[in-house]
Amino acid sequence: MFFTPKWKKEALLLAKGGRKFVNYKRDLLKPDRVEEIESRRDDLLKAIKANDPAKAAEAGKQLRATCENSLKYEKPVGWLEENVEVMFVAIVIALG
């Protein structure tokens, strides 16, 4: 019976997630970040192909870190700002 090791399944899912991340966020990412993510993803795929769990784990960490740090963090809107915006829109619609 043939089975795939857990580390390989997780690494393949991470590589697939990296591809999806680039496809979904390509318009928000800088071109150098896209190239860096693709490079990290290629490193992960090479480690999987070489059947090396240690290299795959390291490449996975690097890919995950690159994806997490590629977009700037935006502070969520507070309750006061949100309510002021809703009231402003309601007043504009009522006056219209």
Side-chain angles (χ1 to χ4, degrees), residues 34-93:
V34 172
E35 291 174 15
E36 184 179 359
I37 292 171
E38 289 295 333
S39 172
R40 301 282 188 209
R41 191 173 166 273
D42 290 341
D43 293 343
L44 178 61
L45 292 174
K46 287 177 187 174
I48 294 169
K49 197 168 192 173
N51 224 9
D52 188 354
K55 283 185 181 178
E58 182 61 32
K61 286 179 188 176
Q62 291 178 354
L63 175 62
R64 186 175 290 120
T66 305
C67 288
E68 289 174 353
N69 297 327
S70 61
L71 292 175
K72 66 178 185 173
Y73 175 74
E74 293 183 14
K75 182 181 148 196
V77 178
W79 66 272
L80 180 63
E81 294 90 1
E82 187 175 340
N83 287 333
V84 168
E85 181 182 351
V86 168
M87 292 301 289
F88 179 74
V89 170
I91 290 170
V92 169
I93 290 174

Side-chain angles (χ1 to χ4, degrees), residues 8 12 15-17 22 24 30 36 57 59 66 68 71 73 94:
K8 192 177 265 189
L12 287 170
K16 184 178 178 181
V22 169
Y24 291 159
K30 295 179 182 175
E36 184 179 359
T66 305
E68 289 174 353
L71 292 175
Y73 175 74

